[in-house]
Amino acid sequence: MFLFRRSQERLSVDEARTRTTGEHPGAVLLDVREKPEWRAGHAPGAVHAPLTGLVAGAALPPAAQGRPLVVICRSGHRSQQAAKLLAERGAAAVDVKGGMNAWAAAGFPVVDERGNSGSIA
């Protein structure tokens, strides 16, 4: 069974949450927003790798290396760019339609850098 196709597949927030949460998640939720956005609020368990760093050639954080990636940003624009870039580097990466705005609107949890209730900036 393939978790991802190599095409520019886009996931809903429901699909993203299913693939990245639970006792044995099949994929890593990779948040590509900038540090101030991440600090204000992100999905619990997400891994942070700003798009600006990825574009500059930064490696993925260890927790995301060699794993299928579900890429998220605020609205879905940067995550599309990041998923394409990562796929070109050989990663299995798809992005989330609507990003963290859609995630929060769906009522999914958002935490700040301290683990408290966060917000989407």
Side-chain angles (χ1 to χ4, degrees):
M1 176 173 118
F2 291 99
L3 283 175
F4 302 106
R5 291 181 219 104
R6 288 280 180 186
S7 68
Q8 278 299 110
E9 179 184 8
R10 302 193 79 197
L11 302 179
S12 70
V13 291
D14 291 323
E15 293 167 318
R17 188 165 191 232
T18 297
R19 292 186 187 191
T20 61
T21 60
E23 192 172 317
H24 300 290
V28 171
L29 185 63
L30 186 71
D31 192 319
V32 296
R33 295 174 300 145
E34 296 305 313
K35 193 175 283 189
E37 296 171 289
W38 168 264
R39 287 181 179 150
H42 57 272
V47 174
H48 187 223
L51 177 59
T52 53
L54 295 173
V55 168
L60 286 169
Q65 292 178 8
R67 303 266 319 271
L69 305 171
V70 173
V71 186
I72 197 164
C73 66
R74 186 185 50 180
S75 65
H77 180 71
R78 287 176 284 179
S79 60
Q80 275 189 292
Q81 293 175 20
K84 183 175 187 237
L85 173 73
L86 292 165
E88 288 170 356
R89 293 182 184 172
V94 295
D95 82 294
V96 180
K97 293 182 284 189
M100 286 301 297
N101 287 334
W103 181 276
F108 298 152
V110 176
V111 296
D112 68 11
E113 66 181 332
R114 293 182 198 95
N116 299 318
S117 181
S119 63
I120 306 307

